[in-house]
Amino acid sequence: MEARYFNFTVHSASNLVDVRKKGEMKVYAKVSIAGKTKYTTTDVVNKTNPEWNSTLCFILPEEDIVRGDVPAKIELFCQRSRSRDKYVGEIDLVLAPFYKGECTFSVHRNDSNQNKRFGTFKFSHELGDKVLIVVSDSSSSSDDSDA
């Protein structure tokens, strides 16, 4: 199967809602594209205006690229040390693989405040080289005996 590298760069977010009652926001992004999920490092300095400038490399099937739309979901979380990380917000979008340049989208929450938009999220992406992915056929048998 033909595929391509897809470099997704997570730049920053700004004006996020502070979801902590105590302590400071330490935010990371969970990026899901083409059925794969990757994480940025946690920004422990910039609180509600995190910066990552981190490039995550995905592999996209060529058929998805030709179709011209790639669903993506970016979720932002606040890292906590004594309990589960706290949900901050998310961005659901469809990426145009051939687009070049920086994009900015509003962040929203997927809960009772889902219609409320707050803050922004900046990213960019670019297609890389083509690669050939070998898919093994698990239905074939290695037993050649006729006993």
Side-chain angles (χ1 to χ4, degrees), residues 27-41:
V27 183
Y28 66 90
K30 174 184 173 184
V31 180
S32 300
I33 300 173
K36 302 288 184 209
T37 299
K38 297 190 179 198
Y39 298 84
T40 65
T41 57

Side-chain angles (χ1 to χ4, degrees), residues 2-131:
E2 283 191 340
R4 283 197 197 200
Y5 290 111
F6 186 73
N7 298 309
F8 188 88
T9 302
V10 179
H11 294 289
S12 62
S14 60
N15 300 317
L16 298 177
V17 171
D18 191 342
V19 297
R20 299 285 309 249
K21 291 185 177 161
K22 292 183 180 180
E24 296 180 343
M25 292 268 285
K26 299 174 198 103
V27 183
Y28 66 90
K30 174 184 173 184
V31 180
S32 300
I33 300 173
K36 302 288 184 209
T37 299
K38 297 190 179 198
Y39 298 84
T40 65
T41 57
T42 302
D43 181 332
V44 297
V45 175
N46 296 305
K47 303 172 184 140
T48 58
N49 298 299
E51 294 181 15
W52 301 281
N53 295 312
S54 176
T55 300
L56 307 172
C57 184
F58 294 86
I59 296 177
L60 292 182
E62 189 69 18
E63 61 193 37
D64 291 354
I65 294 167
V66 170
R67 194 173 58 240
D69 58 347
V70 178
K73 182 174 191 168
I74 298 99
E75 296 172 282
L76 303 175
F77 292 92
C78 177
Q79 186 178 51
R80 298 191 301 181
S81 57
R82 294 192 175 134
S83 60
R84 210 173 55 160
D85 293 348
K86 195 156 190 172
Y87 172 77
V88 175
E90 65 186 61
I91 303 95
D92 290 306
L93 55 130
V94 177
L95 300 171
F98 294 104
Y99 176 81
K100 287 189 178 187
E102 192 172 275
C103 300
T104 302
F105 281 83
S106 295
V107 178
H108 70 277
R109 289 185 62 88
N110 190 14
D111 58 13
S112 61
N113 295 319
Q114 64 185 354
N115 292 330
K116 183 181 177 193
R117 301 211 177 265
F118 59 89
T120 58
F121 179 80
K122 289 184 183 179
F123 68 92
S124 61
H125 58 78
E126 69 178 350
L127 283 173
D129 295 332
K130 281 188 180 182
V131 293

